[in-house]
Every structure is written in structure tokens, then in C-alpha cells.
């Protein structure tokens, strides 16, 4: 395992080294809230960041595994394509934004707009999520073991939302849906991959009522 | 963008180091706005009947001694002052509103940055590092402070348009965001006697809070009322004689993080700004909830 201490190295040096590698493990010390740590990785690397990370940590990730032993600021794993990002602490807003694939695990809470415009990523939040989570979510699963804030799933497309706790309110066009066996199976698998100790039967499923896909005059008040 | 930071000391032993603790916090936020920077620092308490006034003039050679003499003649009382770069800190015997009227009359080009018993405001165009060096912030003491570094989006890059804004006694505000209903609100507040010096939206928010406090609202109640009356994006840090408060709008687009230890409460736009604080590794860290007022004060 290679150790990079950001007390002595720059973020550019860290990312350059990660971008030129095809395999290996890195241990990143003293992140001190720096932005853009381990972004744009494009190989099956293993990166462990010890401390709190700033904006866009592990953004655009492909194939790599990024572990953050601390909190992350805005936009962790934004636009991730594949791979795995695991935050041991809390995440700020827009976690997993617009991401196409991979698995994002947040052991703590995620604040507002978690999974905004998600396009295929799976997100498991072991705590609670803030308001407007999964806004305009198109594909992928958002699993929340705690509670969800206001306007969950507003203007949702086909992302699937599973919440174990209370939902403060559902956003426009988001409705509770029946939990069928295929959903329980998919949820159990995500919980297993995330190491989350929770019973799939305790969750409720939410999805789009598909009334806003095309403009209809009858729905004008919802837009 | 814009970056804001605040530091409220719970441990009095740290008070001599307030400036030294605050300076790197502000400097680290330069990337969020390098146009201008400023701070409000609260220290000591001026004697009964004496007002502490932060004044500013663009001319470094401005004759502050002459202004002090004229002021003494007009108020028929004692005036003490010290000069710090483009700013001067005056201690004037008298009543705030009367002194304000006299200052406007005898020195219309001198900007009144703040008035009160404890507050001192310093702000100028330039990066945080330049502003910190200009005023010698690192050597300053105090019980709490808020500071701001600005990326101007809404009004000109000038000293007057820099934050913090103060429109009430010992009250000031820094702001990350923009307000959309400030024009109408300014007109309404002017009708109620609030005086504004700029076209800046944040000054209207400061004036709004001053007006609510004049109507007998607590700071907590004034900030809760602002959620209804202010339209726009904001994270506010508010300084008062005894403490500070933090509020984010209900949408909460503008970032904020809070940290608390036995020694202090700190807030910043980003966690990066807190990393230089002692004991931050063991601080309780959290992101303030949208539309919730967080308020600390010395009893």
C-alpha cells in the first residue's frame, strides 16, 4: 500500500498518480477537507482516505474502490460510472448526484438532494437523508435506513426509493408503491453489499406515478 | 460563492488569540471569493455613556485628529481614537444616534462601519490575506468574531459593498447568497427610519434584523421572522454584543458547517476553514439544518 500524506503532497500530485496507475492500493493521510480527492479514477484501484474530504470526492469514479474514514462535503461520487465509494462518516448535499453506476454507501447521514438526478447508481444511506433527495432520479436505487426529509423523489422518473423510517413529505409525482418480491430481493442484495443490518420487510418503496413525463394541462399545477 | 466564517469562544483563556485563530480560517476561504474581505470582532466593553465607533476613509492620510477635535467640540465631551490603515476606532462620549447625525454633518465622506459597545468592523477590497495583513488581524483579541470573503455578484466591488454590514448597535451580518426581494424591503425599512449606505442586498438583511430588534424581537425571533420575509438564497452569520447566530434558508443551497468543542463554537462555509482550529479532530461537527436558527451567547 502506498501512503500519500497531503501535508507534503498536493491534490494534483495525488490524482496524477492515481490516474496513471492500473492497479494498487493507496492510503491518503491529512485530507483536511481538500476538494476533488481521488476524482476521475479509471481502474480497479483501492484508495483509503483517512479524515474528512471536501467537495466532489471520488467524482466520476470508474471501477475504483474509495473509502473515506471521515465526512465528505458536497457531491461525493458525483457522476460515478462504476466502482464503490464508502463514506464512514456523514455526507453533505448532492451525494451521488447524476451518477450512472456503482455503489455509494454512507454510514452516517446525507443532507439535502442526496441522489439528485441519479441515473443508475445505487446509494445506501445508513442514517437519514435531507430534503429533495432523489430529485429527478432517473434510474438506480436509493436505500435509506433512517428518515427522509421533505419532498422525497420530487419529479421522479424511474429511480426506486426504499425508506425504512419516516418520510417528512413526498415530492410532486412521487407515491408509495407496493413492495413486491423482486423489490425485496433487490433490496436484500443491496443491504448485503453494504453491510447494513436491516430487514428488507421494514422498508417502504416509493416511485414515480408517471404523471409528469409529458406535459398535460390537467397537471399544470404540479409543474 | 463568497466564504463566511465565525468563531465564538467559550473558553476565556483563548480570547487573546481570537485574531490568530480567525485569520487562517478567513484566509482559507479565499478561493470562494477574492474580491474583498472583512470582519467584525467583539472585544471589551466601552464604559457607560461611551460609544465604540468604527470609521473608514479611503485616504490613508486622512486627518483623523482634526475629525476628533471637531467631534469633541460638537459633543462637548471626550473623544479617543486609534488609526488602523484606512480605518479608525473612535470612543466617543454620547448617544449613538446623535453622534451619527453629527458625523454625517461634519465628515460626510467618512463611512460609519459600526457603532456599539463592543463591535469593531474592518473591511476592504482585496484578498483575505491582504485584508488580514492590512489590519493586523492576527494580533487582535476578542470574545467572538465573524468574517467574510466576497465574490461580488450583485453590487460593485467597493469597501462599502464588502461584508460585514452593520445597521444596528453591536449588530452585524455576513451573508453567502443573494436576496431577490431586497429592493421592496429596503423601501419599507427606509419608511421605518432604517438608513442604508449602499445598494447591496445584504445590507437590507442587516437592516431588517436591526428593525426587528428595535421592535423588541429577540435575535432568535428576528431570524425566524426573516425566514418569512426574506426571499432568496442565504447562509447568514450574525454577530451581536453577546454572541452569534447562524441561519440557512429553507432550500439550503449555500453551504455551512458547524463545529463545537468545550473551548469554542466555529462555523464556516467549508470544513477546510476549520482545520487550523485547536482540537478540531475531536470537535462535534455537523451541518446546520435548513431554516433552523442556531444561536450562542455569553451570559
Amino acid at each position: 500500500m502506498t501512503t500519500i500524506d497531503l501535508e507534503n503532497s498536493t491534490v494534483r500530485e495525488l490524482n496524477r498518480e492515481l490516474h496513471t496507475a492500473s492497479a494498487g492500493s493507496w492510503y491518503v493521510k491529512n485530507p483536511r477537507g481538500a476538494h476533488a480527492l481521488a476524482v476521475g479514477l479509471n481502474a480497479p484501484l483501492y484508495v483509503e482516505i483517512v479524515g474528512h474530504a471536501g467537495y466532489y470526492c471520488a467524482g466520476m469514479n470508474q471501477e475504483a474502490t474509495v473509502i473515506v474514514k471521515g465526512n465528505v462535503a458536497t457531491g461525493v461520487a458525483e457522476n460515478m460510472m462504476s466502482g464503490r465509494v464508502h463514506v464512514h462518516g456523514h455526507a453533505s448535499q448532492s451525494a451521488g448526484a447524476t451518477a450512472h453506476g456503482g455503489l455509494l454507501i454512507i454510514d452516517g447521514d446525507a443532507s439535502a438532494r442526496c441522489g439528485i438526478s441519479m441515473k443508475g447508481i445505487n446509494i445506501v444511506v445508513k442514517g437519514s437523508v435531507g430534503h429533495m433527495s432523489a430529485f429527478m432520479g432517473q434510474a438506480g436505487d436509493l436505500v435509506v435506513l433512517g428518515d427522509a426529509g421533505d419532498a422525497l423523489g420530487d419529479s421522479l422518473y424511474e429511480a426506486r426509493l426504499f425508506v425504512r423510517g419516516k418520510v417528512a413529505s413526498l415530492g410532486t409525482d412521487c407515491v408509495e408503491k407496493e413492495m413486491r418480491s423482486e423489490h425485496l430481493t433487490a433490496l436484500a442484495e443491496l443491504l448485503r453489499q453494504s453491510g447494513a443490518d436491516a430487514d428488507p420487510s421494514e422498508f417502504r418503496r416509493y416511485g414515480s406515478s408517471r404523471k409528469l413525463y409529458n406535459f398535460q394541462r390537467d397537471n399544470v399545477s404540479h409543474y | 460563492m463568497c466564504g463566511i466564517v465565525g468563531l465564538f469562544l467559550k473558553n476565556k483563556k483563548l480570547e487573546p488569540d481570537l485574531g490568530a485563530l480567525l485569520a487562517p480560517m478567513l484566509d482559507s476561504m479565499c478561493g470562494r471569493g477574492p474580491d474583498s474581505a472583512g470582519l467584525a470582532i467583539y472585544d471589551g466593553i466601552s464604559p457607560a455613556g461611551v460609544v465604540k465607533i468604527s470609521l473608514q476613509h479611503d485616504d490613508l492620510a486622512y486627518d483623523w485628529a482634526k475629525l476628533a477635535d471637531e467631534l469633541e467640540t460638537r459633543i462637548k465631551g471626550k473623544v479617543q481614537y486609534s488609526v488602523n490603515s484606512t480605518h479608525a476606532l473612535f470612543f466617543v462620549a454620547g448617544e449613538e444616534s446623535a453622534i451619527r447625525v453629527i458625523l454625517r454633518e461634519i465628515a460626510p465622506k467618512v463611512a460609519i462601519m459600526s457603532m456599539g459597545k463592543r463591535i469593531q468592523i474592518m473591511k476592504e477590497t482585496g484578498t483575505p490575506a491582504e485584508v488580514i495583513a492590512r489590519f493586523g488581524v492576527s494580533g487582535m483579541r476578542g470574545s467572538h468574531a465573524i468574517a467574510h470573503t466576497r465574490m461580488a455578484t450583485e453590487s460593485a466591488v467597493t469597501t462599502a459593498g464588502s461584508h460585514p454590514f452593520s445597521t444596528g448597535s453591536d449588530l452585524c451580518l455576513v451573508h453567502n447568497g443573494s436576496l431577490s426581494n431586497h429592493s421592496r424591503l429596503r423601501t419599507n425599512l427606509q419608511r421605518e427610519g432604517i438608513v442604508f449606505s449602499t445598494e447591496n442586498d445584504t445590507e437590507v438583511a442587516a437592516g431588517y434584523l436591526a428593525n426587528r430588534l428595535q421592535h423588541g424581537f429577540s435575535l432568535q425571533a428576528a431570524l425566524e421572522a426573516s425566514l418569512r420575509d426574506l426571499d432568496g438564497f442565504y447562509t447568514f452569520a450574525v454577530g451581536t454584543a453577546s454572541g452569534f447566530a447562524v441561519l440557512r434558508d429553507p432550500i439550503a443551497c449555500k453551504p455551512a458547517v458547524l463545529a463545537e468543542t468545550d473551548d469554542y463554537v466555529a462555523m464556516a462555509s467549508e470544513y477546510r476553514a476549520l482545520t487550523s482550529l485547536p482540537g478540531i479532530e475531536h470537535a462535534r461537527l455537523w451541518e446546520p439544518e435548513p431554516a433552523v436558527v442556531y444561536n450562542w451567547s455569553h451570559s
Side-chain angles (χ1 to χ4, degrees):
Chain A
M1 185 175 287
T2 308
T3 297
I4 294 187
D5 188 345
L6 289 173
E7 194 79 22
N8 311 313
S9 301
T10 66
V11 173
R12 276 176 195 269
E13 286 166 347
L14 165 70
N15 284 336
R16 194 176 297 128
E17 184 167 330
L18 296 174
H19 292 163
T20 50
S22 56
S25 300
W26 282 261
Y27 182 78
V28 181
K29 287 166 64 181
N30 291 312
R32 296 166 70 89
H35 297 331
L37 294 173
V39 295
L41 306 192
N42 196 15
L45 316 180
Y46 176 88
V47 180
E48 196 170 297
I49 298 168
V50 183
H52 304 312
Y55 289 12
Y56 314 125
C57 180
M60 301 179 284
N61 185 45
Q62 296 197 79
E63 301 188 47
T65 296
V66 179
I67 312 287
V68 182
K69 291 188 169 169
N71 301 329
V72 291
T74 298
V76 63
E78 57 88 29
N79 223 31
M80 175 155 69
M81 305 303 284
S82 61
R84 177 184 172 106
V85 175
H86 186 168
V87 177
H88 287 203
H90 302 299
S92 184
Q93 59 188 351
S94 304
T98 74
H100 289 249
L103 175 63
L104 169 61
I105 305 161
I106 296 163
D107 288 350
D109 299 325
S111 64
R113 293 171 280 274
C114 179
I116 182 172
S117 198
M118 54 195 284
K119 296 182 173 74
I121 187 177
N122 292 321
I123 304 174
V124 176
V125 180
K126 295 180 187 172
S128 297
V129 296
H131 64 273
M132 296 293 277
S133 285
F135 176 58
M136 292 183 76
Q138 290 141 62
D141 293 344
L142 170 64
V143 179
V144 181
L145 274 65
D147 301 331
D150 277 318
L152 176 71
D154 193 279
S155 306
L156 197 65
Y157 291 89
E158 292 304 306
R160 301 188 300 190
L161 317 181
F162 301 97
V163 182
R164 184 167 70 166
K166 295 190 292 288
V167 174
S169 66
L170 292 173
T172 298
D173 211 30
C174 184
V175 293
E176 185 174 349
K177 293 190 163 183
E178 180 194 0
M179 185 79 97
R180 297 194 297 271
S181 63
E182 70 262 33
H183 303 121
L184 287 167
T185 305
L187 178 55
E189 176 57 17
L190 276 176
L191 292 169
R192 189 194 64 75
Q193 287 178 21
S194 311
D197 181 21
D199 179 352
S201 68
E202 294 174 343
F203 289 74
R204 290 164 178 258
R205 180 170 75 99
Y206 304 89
S208 173
S209 66
R210 304 184 177 113
K211 287 184 179 143
L212 297 181
Y213 275 33
N214 302 298
F215 181 78
Q216 288 181 357
R217 202 178 61 180
D218 293 343
N219 292 331
V220 74
S221 64
H222 295 292
Y223 288 100
Chain B
M1 292 267 276
C2 298
I4 59 181
V5 299
L7 184 59
F8 173 84
L9 298 179
K10 290 156 60 172
N11 182 350
K12 280 189 172 300
K13 287 182 185 156
L14 289 174
E15 290 189 1
D17 304 325
L18 180 68
L21 293 169
L22 186 77
M25 294 174 70
L26 179 62
D27 185 36
S28 74
M29 292 291 93
C30 182
R32 297 187 61 89
D35 296 336
S36 63
L39 67 149
I41 200 157
Y42 292 81
D43 183 36
I45 184 156
S46 51
V50 173
V51 184
K52 183 176 180 179
I53 310 171
S54 303
L55 299 175
Q56 181 270 348
H57 194 284
D58 289 337
D59 183 359
L60 277 167
Y62 182 74
D63 192 348
W64 294 105
K66 182 159 170 276
L67 176 63
D69 284 345
E70 284 184 45
L71 206 49
E72 279 192 341
T73 308
R74 287 293 297 270
I75 63 165
K76 300 182 180 65
K78 188 74 185 154
V79 173
Q80 289 181 311
Y81 74 99
S82 58
V83 179
N84 185 352
S85 182
T86 50
H87 287 48
L89 187 63
F90 274 58
F91 290 89
V92 182
E95 191 268 320
E96 283 187 30
S97 57
I99 296 168
R100 190 180 288 274
V101 169
I102 294 169
L103 276 171
R104 286 235 162 80
E105 189 189 320
I106 63 177
K109 290 192 174 162
V110 168
I112 303 169
M113 295 299 189
S114 64
M115 278 191 176
K117 303 296 279 183
R118 304 197 61 208
I119 190 173
Q120 180 182 3
I121 284 183
M122 289 152 278
K123 57 185 187 180
E124 273 298 351
T125 55
T127 64
E130 288 164 358
V131 171
I132 288 163
R134 173 192 281 271
F135 295 114
V137 172
S138 302
M140 291 184 170
R141 57 164 295 134
S143 57
H144 55 293
I146 58 175
H148 183 273
T149 180
R150 182 174 187 225
M151 181 172 284
T153 53
E154 175 280 337
S155 63
V157 179
T158 60
T159 305
S162 310
H163 301 218
F165 284 96
S166 177
T167 50
S169 186
D170 275 324
L171 177 76
C172 75
L173 176 76
V174 295
H175 172 205
N176 174 199
S178 60
L179 300 177
S180 43
N181 65 336
H182 63 97
S183 181
R184 172 61 59 85
L185 201 52
R186 181 188 290 108
T187 307
N188 292 343
L189 290 166
Q190 281 167 333
R191 284 199 199 103
E192 295 209 28
I194 300 286
V195 177
F196 295 99
S197 311
T198 71
E199 293 301 307
N200 188 281
D201 57 340
T202 306
E203 191 184 15
V204 176
Y208 173 85
L209 292 180
N211 177 263
R212 293 294 87 191
L213 295 179
Q214 283 165 16
H215 280 81
F217 283 57
S218 65
L219 179 61
Q220 176 85 20
L223 284 167
E224 282 167 1
S226 78
L227 288 165
R228 186 186 65 237
D229 292 334
L230 299 180
D231 185 13
F233 296 117
Y234 51 86
T235 293
F236 290 140
V238 180
T240 67
S242 62
F244 96 128
V246 174
L247 174 65
R248 302 172 80 196
D249 73 74
I251 305 293
C253 282
K254 297 300 177 187
V257 59
L258 285 162
E260 183 165 16
T261 70
D262 289 342
D263 290 334
Y264 58 79
V265 179
M267 78 83 60
S269 298
E270 299 177 24
Y271 172 74
R272 280 189 300 148
L274 306 177
T275 55
S276 54
L277 289 171
I280 190 67
E281 306 79 21
H282 308 294
R284 184 169 80 92
L285 285 174
W286 76 103
E287 195 168 87
E289 294 280 329
V292 173
V293 176
Y294 296 82
N295 192 355
W296 289 267
S297 69
H298 293 111
S299 51

